Amino acid sequence: MRAALDFLYKLCGVLAAISLAGIAVLILAQIIGRFFGVLVPSANELAGFLMAASSFLALAYAFKAGSHIRVNLVLLRLPPAARRWADIVCLAAGTVLAGYFAWYTWALVADSIRYNEVADGLVPIPLAFPQSAMLAGLTVLTIAFVDELISVIRGNTPSYDNSEDVVLDNGPGNGPSDRVEAND
């Protein structure tokens, strides 16, 4: 199960990167097209949809990698048992919020399919496609929160926790190079 979940998180990260590359290709096509008088239809709408897809698809991957901004000023000062409970409360709240957003994004996608909604650009792109990328990203984020919550409840260290605060712990004599020299 662990390998499947890690693969899912990495797959979402790869799809987010592909979406960003798609934006670069669209912009490049627009630039080259201007030189030859060629219009790339709905490029702005497509770039916006790809940006939303890259943002939402990257959420779970970034969460598991510890790339989201976290305020550790309080957590670092708590004793280990209190910190574990704070992590559990935060992960439970994150699970509920991510699940809530995924649920209502599902309703949005269902309405877009039901009413045949399309983008307003030159190319009538069904809105269910970009919304589905949002739904996928939020669903996988919810799964990542549940995965992490179960792991922390079992007593494991959170995967996003590097247990070091670079800003607070890098005083004189506490930098990475100082630690290496002290261990020699």
Side-chain angles (χ1 to χ4, degrees):
M1 184 68 154
R2 171 86 272 130
L5 288 173
D6 288 341
F7 175 77
L8 179 64
Y9 306 143
K10 288 178 185 176
L11 175 65
C12 285
V14 168
L15 292 174
I18 290 170
S19 296
L20 284 177
I23 294 170
V25 168
L26 277 171
I27 292 171
L28 188 61
Q30 281 184 307
I31 292 170
I32 293 171
R34 284 186 190 143
F35 286 126
F36 298 105
V38 175
L39 172 71
V40 179
S42 294
N44 292 337
E45 289 85 5
L46 286 170
F49 294 154
L50 288 171
M51 179 58 77
S54 68
S55 299
F56 281 90
L57 289 171
L59 287 173
Y61 179 78
F63 171 69
K64 293 299 278 188
S67 297
H68 288 286
I69 295 172
R70 291 181 15 158
V71 179
N72 286 331
L73 289 174
V74 174
L75 288 177
L76 288 175
R77 304 297 180 235
L78 293 175
R83 183 173 180 177
R84 182 174 168 268
W85 281 106
D87 276 332
I88 289 171
V89 168
C90 290
L91 288 167
T95 300
V96 169
L97 284 172
Y100 175 82
F101 292 138
W103 177 263
Y104 280 98
T105 303
W106 168 253
L108 178 70
V109 172
D111 283 346
S112 292
I113 292 170
R114 182 179 316 124
Y115 298 117
N116 240 356
E117 293 179 326
V118 294
D120 292 333
L122 292 173
V123 178
I125 301 165
L127 288 178
F129 291 139
Q131 292 169 352
S132 293
M134 291 172 48
L135 175 60
L138 287 168
T139 302
V140 175
L141 178 64
T142 304
I143 292 168
F145 269 116
V146 170
D147 176 25
E148 203 63 39
L149 179 61
I150 291 170
S151 176
V152 171
I153 287 172
R154 289 182 174 170
N156 298 324
T157 302
S159 65
Y160 53 79
D161 187 13
N162 63 6
S163 70
E164 287 185 22
D165 191 319
V166 177
V167 176
L168 295 178
D169 290 342
N170 274 348
N174 290 331
S177 62
D178 297 330
R179 281 186 230 128
V180 171
E181 291 173 8
N183 292 334
D184 288 339

